[in-house]
Amino acid sequence: MSMQRRDLIIAAGLAASPWFARAAAWPSQPLRLIVPFPAGSSPDIVARLLAESLAPALGQPVVVDNKPGAGGNLGTAVVAKAPPDGSTWLLTIQGPLVTAPLLSKRLPYDPVRDLAPVCLVATSPNVLVVDPHLGVDNLADFVRLAKQNHGAWNYGSVGNGSASHLAMEWFRTRTGIDLVHVPYAGFPQVVNAILGGQVQAGFMVPGLAMAQVRAGKLRALGVTSLGRTASLPDLPALTELGHPGFEAISWQAVLAPAGTPAPMIDRMSRELIRIIKGNDFRTKLLAQYFTAAGTTPDALKGLIVTERDRWAKVIRIAGVQPE
């Protein structure tokens, strides 16, 4: 049998298969974009911006479905266990994909085995904020005074293993300062704790932090990107302030249940990249302190591996214990 004839037979067989027919007709029903965090959270904001543009691009409604709980692990598990038929997608931050497998002894899913990368949507640095009453005007002052108050200062985070927790643990080990970790349910609670004097500092997402900075209730000392970011051009990066290589970026990405047909993932990836690279979407993201990304599935897969290696080292050096 000639190679051409064999290829024609294979192609005809695929075209006749139910799997190929479903993939070719996709999407033929509304899509769920599950966000494993509450309404109003950073990933929820990004998801709703995406859904507005995805619906007309795909010709089907795209419904944002918030399923918060367990630091994002609950909603992520829902997607991991969903039928891989192209109707269910996940938009999440890095925590459930990168640090949860390193810090949870009973994770109800395996992000490598159970999820398929689709596209990196947006990135954002964290902002180091402090209580203005400390009299700290810059990062060097903060480190100096923290050392003088060895073990007497606290810092707030949104939970063990969160980006806000691990960023400070990394900074603490690099600078030799001794701060006590106090976890909270969310960033609004961290803000209230700083305002109330229960904690003195924290790494926070800029969307919430900068509103309090502008109001004079918090003081921002720097951002955790490798250089200054377009959304916060007036804030120096910690790399500029004597801490080369200090990068702790928050990011949002879209994934699908493992086994979702490749044509569906490829189509979704192409549509997402087109939307994300568009000026309108980029401008909307920038207003929310995000930088638009837009990557291939393989690039997102590589990022997850790189980030997991990076934070595994931080967790080991800082002595953060799994729960």
Side-chain angles (χ1 to χ4, degrees):
M1 181 185 297
S2 69
M3 183 176 296
Q4 183 179 16
R5 178 174 173 77
R6 186 193 65 188
D7 290 345
L8 287 173
I9 292 174
I10 292 173
L14 284 174
S17 71
W19 174 88
F20 186 87
R22 287 197 303 271
W26 182 85
S28 59
Q29 59 182 324
L31 280 66
R32 278 199 309 165
L33 184 57
I34 289 182
V35 177
F37 296 95
S41 62
S42 294
D44 176 71
I45 292 170
V46 173
R48 292 182 188 278
L49 288 176
L50 268 184
E52 290 177 7
S53 299
L54 265 178
L58 296 175
Q60 291 289 343
V62 179
V63 179
V64 176
D65 188 358
N66 298 92
K67 292 193 175 298
N73 296 344
L74 180 62
T76 303
V78 171
V79 178
K81 298 172 183 177
D85 58 6
S87 65
T88 304
W89 304 80
L90 172 71
L91 190 143
T92 185
I93 61 175
Q94 69 272 25
L97 309 174
V98 173
T99 55
L102 299 172
L103 290 171
S104 177
K105 296 178 180 179
R106 296 175 297 277
L107 201 63
Y109 60 90
D110 182 325
V112 175
R113 182 194 64 215
D114 299 334
L115 294 168
V118 179
C119 183
L120 177 67
V121 178
T123 64
S124 175
N126 291 284
V127 181
L128 176 58
V129 296
V130 300
D131 182 349
H133 298 101
L134 294 178
V136 168
D137 293 322
N138 53 60
L139 188 66
D141 283 348
F142 173 70
V143 172
R144 177 176 54 81
L145 287 176
K147 288 181 177 179
Q148 290 178 7
N149 290 273
H150 186 77
W153 282 3
N154 304 324
Y155 77 90
S157 84
V158 293
N160 191 58
S162 65
S164 55
H165 173 213
L166 296 181
M168 186 63 86
E169 286 299 300
W170 191 15
F171 187 70
R172 184 183 63 76
T173 58
R174 285 177 62 125
T175 58
I177 61 177
D178 185 12
L179 303 178
V180 179
H181 176 218
V182 183
Y184 292 91
F187 282 117
Q189 290 80 5
V190 176
V191 171
N192 289 335
I194 295 177
L195 298 181
Q198 287 84 38
V199 301
Q200 284 67 48
F203 280 103
M204 296 180 58
V205 293
L208 182 58
M210 296 313 296
Q212 301 298 328
V213 170
R214 287 193 297 269
K217 295 180 179 180
L218 297 176
R219 181 159 296 153
L221 300 183
V223 294
T224 59
S225 46
L226 288 178
R228 298 202 181 201
T229 176
S231 61
L232 296 164
D234 296 331
L235 277 183
L238 270 61
T239 56
E240 300 175 49
L241 304 174
H243 302 281
F246 190 91
E247 183 184 30
I249 297 296
S250 295
W251 44 268
Q252 287 86 27
V254 172
L255 298 96
T260 299
M264 297 180 186
I265 288 180
D266 290 344
R267 168 90 188 275
M268 178 63 90
S269 176
R270 290 196 306 271
E271 296 292 355
L272 288 171
I273 291 172
R274 181 185 60 79
I275 291 167
I276 294 164
K277 298 293 187 182
N279 288 333
D280 181 63
F281 190 78
R282 294 172 72 91
T283 300
K284 289 178 179 177
L285 283 181
L286 196 61
Q288 299 291 335
Y289 301 100
F290 296 111
T291 298
T295 67
T296 64
D298 283 343
L300 175 56
K301 181 180 180 180
L303 174 66
I304 293 171
V305 171
T306 299
E307 286 279 272
R308 191 171 300 176
D309 289 344
R310 177 212 302 267
W311 292 112
K313 294 176 183 176
V314 172
I315 289 168
R316 183 178 67 253
I317 293 169
V320 180
Q321 296 300 313
E323 294 183 341

